[in-house]
């Protein structure tokens, strides 16, 4: 077989624009091969949409490629350099356990990063082993795919391969490599790195590259770097509003974990909130609650301020003017977040149009949910299907009164009941990746090599707004436990 048929066979079609950036932005480096790669989960629909040949990659060929044992034709593997504020402290980071293979150009002409995570040590690894454990990689697969199905911009998961090698954590764990697909891996931390360790020309090159890759229409603006910042602010406001509306808690919103594309990135200790409480934190390392559910919008704005700082030299020759421009643009975050969140909340309650009293109606509901420890997802589901008796607030007179106000608001709008119920059905998911369900799937996979539990879960999560009978089982809450649910970074 000649080389051309090999390309046709697997469908890889790389064009590696990141590798054409100045050298400071990366280190060329191949993944470290693993002992015995085994493809244990492969996202065939995603593969097909990328123009990959599902048949060809379902084999040892795919296992070798997704383990980093065989570099696909046209790939130019590299580790990206970046910095970041971790829990508020600035530090040099970079891909310490990931390799960007390159950018796959799809049949539609779209460009996606193909990254292997858990692919071995790099110059940025510091003390780490460059590897990843199976459990956390499957967790990223499940949650990122669930987010995608919920309609939330996110990196995707193409495959997980086990390596046949153990990795040492608190105990020895099975090693794995995740193939991640992203619009790009340009992070706030990439700009911080350029501003701190590159020249102004490097910074400008990165900004122009980002404009071209994500915001081409802004490239011709008078102050295109200000436009870049504004666009990033807009995308983050929209993203964080979507997180809040489904109760997603990222868990580690460090500036290196915020992508300029506006996609959710770096699924570590993330989890979905069950009982509504803005103070909810699951991550074992977030002792201060910095990244609690209710703080996410503030943290996003804080991170964007760090991006603005990095961009200052490009915004205006005069620093004072540059600061002023950045501050004005950043002030938009709160306004945009608020309006997107409010629009989303109205949809969750079936409210058409906008009325002044909506905000207080929403606030009163959330306050009540917090007081009664009502499950976030199931409360909106119960309201959607007119089953208030299924909420933890059932029987409380304040809830009865609230429902009366809500129904009055609904009956005052022109839209029919059917229309508002449709709106609610498509705004309130039946299923989210509930913590106990995710754990159950991981336990079966990691401890017993049984992937059927995860496959069933993935199937249910793939259509979260279906409200189908088979989803009912997945809406149930876990048995009460006196131990709070905890997530770990899983590095
Ligand atoms: P994260 O918490 O996943 O955003 O990672 C923070 C930084 O630590 C990044 O630079 C990672 O590449 C690096 N890192 C995480 N786990 C490992 C590991 N096992 N080996 C080397 N570097 C790691
Ligand atoms: Mg990270």
């Amino acid at each position: 077989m000649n080389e051309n048929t090999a390309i046709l066979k697997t469908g890889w079609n790389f064009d590696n624009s990141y590798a054409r950036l100045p050298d400071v932005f990366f280190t060329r480096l191949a993944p470290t091969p693993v002992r015995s790669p085994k493809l244990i989960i492969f996202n065939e629909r995603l593969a097909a949409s990328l123009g990959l040949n599902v048949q060809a990659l379902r084999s040892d060929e795919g296992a070798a490629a997704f383990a980093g044992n065989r570099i696909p034709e046209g790939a130019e593997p590299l580790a990206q350099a970046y910095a970041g504020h971790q829990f508020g402290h600035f530090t040099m980071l970079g891909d310490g356990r990931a390799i960007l293979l390159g950018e796959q150009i799809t049949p539609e002409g779209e460009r996606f990063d193909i990254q292997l995570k858990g692919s071995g040590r790099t110059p940025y690894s510091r003390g780490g082993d460059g590897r990843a454990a199976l459990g956390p990689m499957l967790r990223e697969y499940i949650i990122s795919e669930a987010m995608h199905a919920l309609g939330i911009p996110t990196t995707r998961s193409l495959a997980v391969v086990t390596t046949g090698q153990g990795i040492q954590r608190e105990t020895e764990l099975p090693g794995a490599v995740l193939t991640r697909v992203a619009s790009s891996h340009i992070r706030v931390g990439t700009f911080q790195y350029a501003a701190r360790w590159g020249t102004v020309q490097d910074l400008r090159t990165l900004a122009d590259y980002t404009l071209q890759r994500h915001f081409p229409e802004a490239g011709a603006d008078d102050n295109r770097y200000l436009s870049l910042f504004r666009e990033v602010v807009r995308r983050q406001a929209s993203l964080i509003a979507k997180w809040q509306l489904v109760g997603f808690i990222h868990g580690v919103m460090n500036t290196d974990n915020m992508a300029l594309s506006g996609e959710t990135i770096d699924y570590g200790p993330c989890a979905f909130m069950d009982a509504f409480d803005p103070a909810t934190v699951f991550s074992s390392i977030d002792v201060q609650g910095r990244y609690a559910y209710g703080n996410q919008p503030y943290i996003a704005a804080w991170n964007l301020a760090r991006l603005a700082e990095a961009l200052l030299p490009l915004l205006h020759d005069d620093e004072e003017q540059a600061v002023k421009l950045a501050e004005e643009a950043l002030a938009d975050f709160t306004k945009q977040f608020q309006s997107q969140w409010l629009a989303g909340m109205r949809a969750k309650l079936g409210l058409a149009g906008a009325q002044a009293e909506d905000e207080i109606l929403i606030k009163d509901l959330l306050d009540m949910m917090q007081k009664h420890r009502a499950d976030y997802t199931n409360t909106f589901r119960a309201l959607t299907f007119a089953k208030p008796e299924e909420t933890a607030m059932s029987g409380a007179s304040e809830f009865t009164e609230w429902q009366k106000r809500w129904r009055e608001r609904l009956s005052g709008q022109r839209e029919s009941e059917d229309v508002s119920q449709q709106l609610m059905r498509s705004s309130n998911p039946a299923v989210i990746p509930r913590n106990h369900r995710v754990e159950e799937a991981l336990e079966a996979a990691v401890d017993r090599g049984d992937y059927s539990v995860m496959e069933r879960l993935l199937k249910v999560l793939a259509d979260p707004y279906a409200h189908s009978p088979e989803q009912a089982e997945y809406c149930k809450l876990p048995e009460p436990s006196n131990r709070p649910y905890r997530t770990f970074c899983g590095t």
Side-chain angles (χ1 to χ4, degrees), residues 171-476:
T171 55
E172 194 183 83
L173 299 171
V177 179
L178 169 83
T179 303
R180 176 154 81 176
V181 177
S183 290
S184 86
H185 286 83
I186 305 166
R187 305 150 189 270
V188 169
T190 316
F191 277 85
Q192 292 181 288
Y193 167 80
R196 176 76 171 73
W197 284 289
T199 62
V200 175
Q201 189 47 46
D202 290 331
L203 183 65
R204 187 173 291 117
T205 303
L206 179 65
D208 283 330
Y209 175 75
T210 308
L211 276 162
Q212 198 183 28
R213 194 154 171 189
H214 294 298
F215 313 100
E217 61 297 336
D221 292 358
D222 278 347
N223 188 341
R224 61 181 187 273
Y225 305 116
L226 183 62
S227 299
L228 167 65
F229 184 60
R230 284 188 192 287
E231 289 298 327
V232 175
V233 165
R234 186 170 322 187
R235 286 202 190 174
Q236 285 298 328
S238 157
L239 178 67
I240 309 297
K242 290 191 166 99
W243 286 3
Q244 300 304 94
L245 289 165
V246 297
F248 174 76
I249 304 171
H250 184 285
V252 59
M253 286 177 74
N254 295 333
T255 56
D256 55 302
N257 294 336
M258 185 184 259
L260 270 79
S261 64
E263 288 179 344
T264 311
I265 190 170
D266 270 2
Y267 291 87
C270 60
F272 281 72
M273 176 172 62
D274 27 53
F276 178 76
D277 183 352
T280 308
V281 173
F282 293 112
S283 169
S284 62
I285 57 168
D286 192 2
V287 258
Q288 307 282 332
R290 179 181 170 90
Y291 299 138
Y293 172 77
N295 278 355
Q296 295 189 128
Y298 305 104
I299 292 293
W302 190 89
N303 290 350
L304 290 166
R306 305 290 80 75
L307 175 63
E309 278 167 9
L311 288 170
L312 283 181
L314 305 182
L315 296 182
H316 203 286
D317 290 337
D318 178 73
E319 198 182 317
E320 234 171 82
Q321 289 295 318
V323 169
K324 196 163 159 267
L325 291 172
E327 279 174 353
E328 279 167 14
L330 185 59
D332 263 3
F333 176 84
T334 309
K335 282 182 234 159
Q336 289 184 22
F337 167 78
Q338 269 301 332
S339 84
Q340 302 245 12
W341 179 82
L342 191 55
M345 270 293 166
R346 284 196 175 102
K348 285 174 87 67
L349 290 174
L351 308 180
Q355 287 186 19
E357 75 265 23
D358 295 348
E359 272 183 76
I360 189 78
L361 187 71
I362 293 163
K363 184 182 181 301
D364 288 347
L365 173 65
L366 293 175
D367 286 348
M368 236 176 344
M369 285 165 67
Q370 183 174 358
K371 184 170 144 197
H372 294 265
R373 296 203 54 74
D375 182 81
Y376 183 74
T377 305
N378 283 356
T379 298
F380 285 101
R381 230 181 99 244
L383 293 174
T384 302
F385 293 99
K387 290 181 173 163
E389 69 283 1
E390 289 183 4
T391 78
M393 301 174 291
S394 165
S397 61
E398 53 181 343
F399 183 48
T400 313
E401 270 166 46
W402 181 89
Q403 289 180 76
K404 206 166 140 247
R405 277 161 63 204
W406 176 48
R407 273 195 223 96
E408 270 163 25
R409 166 68 173 84
L410 282 171
S411 60
Q413 65 192 28
R414 230 178 301 125
E415 285 70 12
S416 68
E417 251 179 63
D418 266 8
V419 168
S420 54
Q421 212 232 356
Q422 264 316 317
L423 181 61
M424 292 180 77
R425 282 180 71 122
S426 57
S427 310
N428 296 315
V431 281
I432 48 155
R434 287 197 182 272
N435 301 321
H436 67 294
R437 287 295 193 177
V438 174
E439 291 306 317
E440 167 190 86
L442 297 184
E443 204 179 291
V446 177
D447 298 350
R448 305 194 297 277
D450 170 8
Y451 291 92
S452 65
V453 184
M454 183 171 84
E455 269 151 25
R456 276 200 302 279
L457 178 63
L458 284 170
K459 210 166 154 207
V460 167
L461 292 172
D463 198 1
Y465 302 103
H467 299 283
S468 61
E470 56 274 22
Q471 288 178 327
E473 191 58 31
Y474 289 84
C475 301
K476 289 189 185 152

Side-chain angles (χ1 to χ4, degrees), residues 82 86 92-98 117 120-121 124-132 169 187 252 254 256-257 266 268 489-491:
Y82 53 85
Q86 297 198 302
M92 174 63 199
L93 296 160
D95 289 334
R97 57 161 173 172
K117 185 168 173 181
R121 287 183 53 82
Y124 312 110
S125 295
R126 300 181 289 178
D129 63 356
R131 292 299 182 190
R169 295 294 181 261
R187 305 150 189 270
V252 59
N254 295 333
D256 55 302
N257 294 336
D266 270 2
C489 262
T491 48

